[in-house]
Structure formats: C-alpha cells, structure tokens
Amino acid sequence: MSNLRIGTSGWNYPSGKGTWNGVFYPPPRRRPKGFDELAFYAEHFDTVEVNSTFYGQPRPDVTRKWAERTPANFEFSVKLYQQFTHPRMFKERLANGLPEQAPRDAALLDALARPTDADLDEFRRGIDPLASSGRLGALLAQFPASFKDAPSSRDYLADLLRGFAGYPVAVELRHRSWSDAIGDTLALLNTFGAAWVQIDEPKFRFSIRQNYLPNVQGFYYMRLHGRNAATWWRHEKSEDRYDYLYSAAELKEFSDTADGAKQLVKKLYLYMNNHFSAKSVANAAMIKQQLGEPIEGEYPPEFIERYPELAGALTPSRTFF
C-alpha cells in the first residue's frame, strides 16, 4: 500500500456560489434516497482534512459516525479548534456571546480564551473514536499570519505540542518571521516530532518562505490553498479566496515534491484547499494522475464537463444530475 494520501480540505460545501452540489454531488432535490456525501467522497479518496473542528470542539458521537461511514483504510486529519490557534478570533467570539450589559474586561477574556487542560481533554475525547480505530491521520495546528515568531509564541507553541504529545501534529505557520529563523523553528518542531506544514498560497511581503523539504521522518504534510491573490485579503465571501484552479503545469512542482518526499517519510498527506466549485477535487485527481496513483470512483458527467482536463483519466458515472 502506498504511503501517499491525497485528498481535499473538507467534503461538505452545501451553499454559496462555490457549492459542490450539482458539480461533484447531486443537487439536494435530485439525490437518491440515502445519499451520503462523506461515503461518496470516500469512494474517490482515502483521506480528508476536517475543517469543522476549527469552529467547534469535536464530539465523539460525530467522529464515531464518520468512521462508520467510511472504509477501514480511510483517514481523517483533524484541524485543531480555533481556541488553540486563533486566540484573537476566539476572544471576539467570547465577547460577542456576552450579554450587552456585561463588562468587556480584556484580562478576563484573555484568561478565558487561553486553553486549559480541560479544553485539551475535550478535544482528545472528541477524536478518540478516530484514534482508537486507526482512522486518525494528523492533527493540524493552523496558525494565522498574525502569529509571529517571538519568545512568547515559541513558548505557546511548545506548550501546545506538549498538550498533544502522542499524536502526529502538523504545524502551519504563515508569517515570514518563522522562516527567517528557520534553525530555531526547525529545532522547536523537531523536538516534538511535529511536521512543518508546507503550503502554497499567494505570496506577500510577510508570507512564509519554504523549501518543501521534510523536517521529520514520521510524516509529511502539504496544503495547497490556491493562488488567488486578488481576493486573498479582500473578498465579498470567504469562499472567494479559494476560487482558483491549478494548471497541470503548476501542479507538477508539487507532484514532483511529493514523489521525492514520500521516499523519506513514513507517510505523506497532501490536501487541496481550493475548494470553490470542487476545484480541489479536480486538482487532487490531477495530482494523482501525475503521480501514477489510481483515480478511484465514478465522476458525474457534469464534473467532467466542467474540468475537461481530466476527461481521459476519470471514470464517468452513467447518471446526469
């Protein structure tokens, strides 16, 4: 079995201009009885990156059902709850949840936002059905571009990695200060066996610089976000940021990287996050094609018509939406 797993970031995009309904999935009104998006997705890929856990702590009853709806060899990489990686966002959420007359005490909000052992335990309990069944890929600690290299940041990251000791953790850093201090960053991550997430995204003055080399032997983790620089920071809807389709030539750099890196690590995860209109699905299939990996499952004719680059590589289903 290959040590390479390719998939997308998320599988459920039911609304907006970039919905997957009518592209990769049937529209709601034309779905066969009992249609299951996750089960359908798992016919095509053997891994997925879970985004929903960023917005709320995972629940064991939910993750248990995920495992039940997918094949035994399917793996879920799970994004950490925003409280662990986005304290400013979490504090705003706490403040917005307070009654209007309640005082907005900054020190109190800071204390409430800082993760506790109980918060760590809740997350671990939530993912236990995946971990105990061998379905857990990696935990993704995705930090915002505002998270800069500083002594306090390094201390916080070290504490977080200690809290998730025993789990494979992939750390996504976006500010250039981390790559400017590459030796210190690698030393910190390597101490905990954490993979430095290799990312592709529009490059700005303070964007992180990376060489795409593995930093640990345990696993490698890559995320491709698209290159839609025009809407990266200014957009009407958040989905607009991910409205980008990589060309075959653009993907070749990453398929070559994955082909080389998989020789150096025990397992490699590559996730496409350009999810607008299932462009991530198309690009994940293109990466598989370039790497000579099997492209499994049947694809709706509507999907193949939208992404004709894949026409000769995909098995079309007989059913039109």
Side-chain angles (χ1 to χ4, degrees), residues 7-272:
T8 66
S9 299
W11 72 84
N12 177 246
Y13 295 97
S15 60
K17 294 183 296 182
T19 180
W20 289 17
N21 295 338
V23 183
F24 185 56
Y25 302 133
R29 293 183 179 180
R30 300 184 64 181
R31 294 184 175 186
K33 186 177 180 179
F35 181 82
D36 184 326
E37 288 185 357
L38 178 56
F40 181 82
Y41 173 94
E43 293 175 4
H44 301 76
F45 301 102
D46 59 7
T47 188
V48 72
E49 185 181 80
V50 179
N51 287 320
S52 60
T53 49
F54 178 77
Y55 301 100
Q57 287 273 30
R59 292 163 37 199
D61 59 323
V62 173
T63 58
R64 186 175 297 108
K65 289 178 181 177
W66 291 346
E68 292 171 353
R69 292 155 56 196
T70 52
N73 68 335
F74 192 90
E75 290 188 10
F76 297 83
S77 288
V78 182
K79 189 181 292 186
L80 293 186
Y81 183 37
Q82 63 181 243
Q83 182 180 9
F84 300 115
T85 57
H86 288 62
R88 184 184 304 172
M89 181 184 295
F90 189 70
K91 280 189 287 186
E92 290 176 359
R93 179 178 173 182
L94 287 176
N96 292 335
L98 293 173
E100 291 185 9
Q101 65 274 18
R104 265 63 173 174
D105 183 273
L108 176 60
L109 286 173
D110 283 342
L112 291 174
R114 190 169 183 86
T116 65
D117 288 342
D119 296 318
L120 290 164
D121 287 341
E122 183 177 0
F123 194 94
R124 287 189 288 251
R125 284 195 303 272
I127 62 173
D128 182 67
L130 301 178
S132 60
S133 63
R135 305 296 192 83
L136 183 65
L139 302 184
L140 171 63
Q142 177 195 293
F143 287 94
S146 58
F147 186 68
K148 303 175 184 178
D149 180 34
S152 59
S153 299
R154 290 194 293 272
D155 289 344
Y156 180 84
L157 180 53
D159 285 343
L160 185 66
L161 292 173
R162 284 190 199 96
F164 286 106
Y167 295 90
V169 182
V171 179
E172 180 169 344
L173 303 166
R174 295 191 176 186
H175 194 271
R176 186 169 181 170
S177 57
W178 295 98
S179 52
D180 285 346
I182 186 171
D184 292 337
T185 303
L186 286 171
L188 172 58
L189 297 177
N190 292 352
T191 296
F192 296 95
W196 191 346
V197 177
Q198 304 297 313
I199 60 175
D200 184 65
E201 63 180 358
K203 295 302 181 187
F204 302 98
R205 180 183 174 189
F206 293 110
S207 297
I208 198 162
R209 300 310 196 250
Q210 296 182 287
N211 57 20
Y212 300 121
L213 295 174
N215 68 295
V216 292
Q217 291 184 339
F219 71 109
Y220 184 90
Y221 203 102
M222 176 177 281
R223 306 182 79 213
L224 307 187
H225 297 290
R227 297 175 174 178
N228 199 340
T231 61
W232 193 253
W233 297 117
R234 297 182 180 181
H235 42 256
E236 182 180 349
K237 300 288 186 181
S238 60
E239 65 175 6
D240 297 337
R241 171 185 278 191
Y242 304 105
D243 184 5
Y244 186 86
L245 182 70
Y246 287 90
S247 69
E250 288 173 326
L251 288 177
K252 189 67 167 59
E253 172 188 359
F254 303 108
S255 60
D256 286 347
T257 296
D259 194 40
K262 73 178 184 179
Q263 314 297 327
L264 304 173
V265 297
K266 294 178 181 178
K267 189 168 288 188
L268 188 150
Y269 299 95
L270 193 160
Y271 295 107
M272 303 300 310

